[in-house]
Amino acid sequence: MKHVAIIGAGPAGLMAAEAALAQGARVDIYDAMPSAGRKFLMAGKSGLNITHSEDEAQFRQRYDTPDARLAAMVEAFGPSEIVKWMAALGIEAHVGSSGRVFPIGMKASPLLRRWLARLGEAGAKLHTRHRWAGWDEAGALTFETMTGRVAVKADAVVLGLGGASWKRLGSDGAWAGILAKKGVALEAFAPSNCGFIADWSAKMAAYEGAPVKGVSLSANGQSVRGDFVITKSGIESGAVYPLAAALRRDLAKKRRAILTIDLLPETDEAALTARLAAQHPKDSFSNRLRKAARIDGAKAALLFEVTKGAPPRDAEGLARLIKALPLTLTGTAPMDTAISTSGGVPWEALGDGLMLKALPGVFCAGEMIAWDAPTGGYLLTACLATGRVAGQAAAII
């Protein structure tokens, strides 16, 4: 019986364990944290968006990767398979109005409890507070524990150690140094599904935490409808995340990026111009905005911020600005605050079954591989799909 060591008890690692068990392997799961799935549980705090119900061909196009293998893995274990997998755990799926798929009850904890119980019943052993430290001279895995360093021999290893954000939940990217010393060439980490810095004036401090609802955001030919939130240093959340990759590319090239905001996407420019022109000339500028365009609060503050307090007063110019407000972004929020990260193990470093070419018998899964995707269920789906492939391959090597 093959002995497979899974390092990382997040969704990628746990799915790798499940797949290896199904192939008849003996499985031990190791995690540095006191309990499994810390980031998984955090993701489900406000509703675990585990996948998406949109057309599966469109779903696969959401991934930003130079390698076609990820699309094939997601095709083999995508939204419909995840719904069936949850059902086998006794968890029904709930499809939200946006098409996002959640477990019934919305929370991650019931699903995780049942998943861990099923893995345990199948023979998997979970070892918490085991921080991976690499290999010893004899080739054994080494772990730092509460009682000192321990060594573990295994026939194969699956690494599901996550990216480099949310360090307090165990995803710190420290594994990169271990693999680099073993000759694995890595791509630099970058924040993904992250906030951006806008270099606000002092006046914007009053709007920290304020939502900006019902807008359309555009960058590099991509457009997203939705909401976002003003932060102390810029913007984050919702509709910003799907544009993160495009905005990061602009920042890398030009050290700035322009996010175009349509503050009133339901109204065309001509109609808005007519409504603004029809306002009483003695009305204050703020009243004109509020009456003609329903713009006040955070939206009005953005207009004044972008124009440095001098938005156009003529109806045509003001309508044009409302429909295409150019917000300059000068950087990303700190990587540790990002929902996910890009970079890590490049696809060219991985062979069949996601095995590292430089380290035979060592497989990678989940966010530690260099792919990117927006929020909406795409991240977790790919973690599960890659974990499944790596676990199957590790068990039969």
Side-chain angles (χ1 to χ4, degrees), residues 165-182:
S165 62
W166 291 86
K167 292 179 182 179
R168 66 185 178 86
L169 300 177
S171 180
D172 59 10
W175 55 265
I178 297 172
L179 294 188
K181 288 179 181 177
K182 289 289 187 177

Side-chain angles (χ1 to χ4, degrees), residues 218-220 247 250 254 256-260 325-329:
S218 301
N220 284 314
L247 293 169
D250 277 354
K254 310 169 188 175
R256 70 172 195 163
I258 302 298
L259 179 68
T260 303
L325 185 69
L327 178 63
T328 299
L329 304 174

Side-chain angles (χ1 to χ4, degrees), residues 8-386:
L14 295 180
M15 183 55 77
E18 184 169 308
L21 287 165
Q23 295 292 329
R26 178 166 64 92
V27 172
D28 284 273
I29 308 166
Y30 301 89
D31 197 274
M33 302 303 287
S35 58
R38 287 294 183 93
K39 192 174 179 183
F40 184 67
L41 290 171
M42 178 60 76
K45 194 172 182 181
S46 58
L48 181 69
N49 180 198
I50 198 164
T51 192
H52 202 291
S53 64
E54 69 186 355
D55 175 78
E56 293 197 16
Q58 183 178 2
F59 184 98
R60 292 191 293 275
Q61 293 176 4
R62 303 290 189 184
Y63 295 95
D64 184 3
T65 172
D67 197 286
R69 284 178 286 177
L70 181 60
M73 292 173 194
V74 170
E75 183 175 9
F77 195 79
S80 60
E81 288 77 19
I82 288 173
V83 169
K84 293 174 185 175
W85 169 78
M86 286 198 300
L89 285 168
I91 303 287
E92 293 181 41
H94 165 71
V95 181
S97 59
S98 64
R100 297 183 180 204
V101 178
F102 305 83
I104 200 78
M106 305 296 283
K107 299 300 182 183
S109 51
L111 189 153
L112 181 61
R113 283 195 300 271
R114 294 191 186 190
W115 194 6
L116 290 171
R118 188 168 72 178
L119 290 172
E121 290 166 3
K125 295 181 180 178
L126 175 62
H127 309 268
T128 57
R129 292 189 170 93
H130 276 61
R131 180 172 294 279
W132 184 49
W135 293 268
D136 65 16
E137 293 179 358
L141 296 163
T142 59
F143 297 91
E144 299 292 347
T145 75
M146 299 288 286
T147 56
R149 179 167 287 204
V150 299
V152 175
K153 278 283 190 180
D155 298 307
V157 181
V158 177
L159 303 176
L161 291 160
S165 62
W166 291 86
K167 292 179 182 179
R168 66 185 178 86
L169 300 177
S171 180
D172 59 10
W175 55 265
I178 297 172
L179 294 188
K181 288 179 181 177
K182 289 289 187 177
V184 180
L186 301 171
E187 292 183 13
F189 290 118
S192 177
N193 294 297
C194 59
F196 288 85
I197 296 169
D199 293 334
W200 297 134
S201 68
K203 291 181 179 179
M204 288 299 289
Y207 296 93
E208 181 182 355
V212 180
K213 296 185 176 183
V215 297
S216 177
L217 306 182
S218 301
N220 284 314
Q222 293 179 255
S223 294
V224 179
R225 291 281 290 270
D227 310 332
F228 67 91
V229 173
I230 293 174
T231 68
K232 183 177 182 179
S233 58
I235 60 173
E236 67 177 14
S237 192
V240 175
Y241 296 152
L243 300 175
L247 293 169
R248 285 199 323 268
R249 283 192 284 268
D250 277 354
L251 285 167
K253 291 177 184 176
K254 310 169 188 175
R255 296 187 179 181
R256 70 172 195 163
I258 302 298
L259 179 68
T260 303
I261 307 172
D262 183 346
L263 293 172
L264 211 61
E266 299 291 346
T267 305
D268 67 39
E269 188 175 321
L272 180 58
T273 299
R275 279 161 44 180
L276 287 165
Q279 296 303 303
H280 195 286
K282 292 186 178 180
D283 278 351
S284 69
F285 183 73
S286 295
N287 279 338
R288 289 176 62 202
L289 279 177
R290 181 176 54 80
K291 291 178 181 178
R294 302 185 302 280
I295 288 176
D296 55 11
K299 285 186 178 182
L302 283 169
L303 272 174
F304 280 93
E305 181 71 16
V306 169
T307 59
K308 300 186 185 304
R313 262 42 182 183
D314 65 290
E316 187 175 340
L318 183 55
R320 189 181 308 119
L321 184 68
I322 290 170
K323 296 293 292 179
L325 185 69
L327 178 63
T328 299
L329 304 174
T330 58
T332 59
M335 185 154 55
D336 195 47
T337 66
I339 289 177
S340 61
T341 53
S342 63
V345 178
W347 286 92
E348 56 266 28
L350 298 167
D352 294 339
L354 300 177
M355 185 171 72
L356 284 165
K357 295 176 182 177
L359 294 170
V362 180
F363 299 78
C364 297
E367 197 183 331
M368 64 186 297
I369 303 172
W371 55 271
D372 201 1
T375 57
Y378 312 105
L379 296 167
L380 278 173
T381 298
C383 286
L384 295 171
T386 55

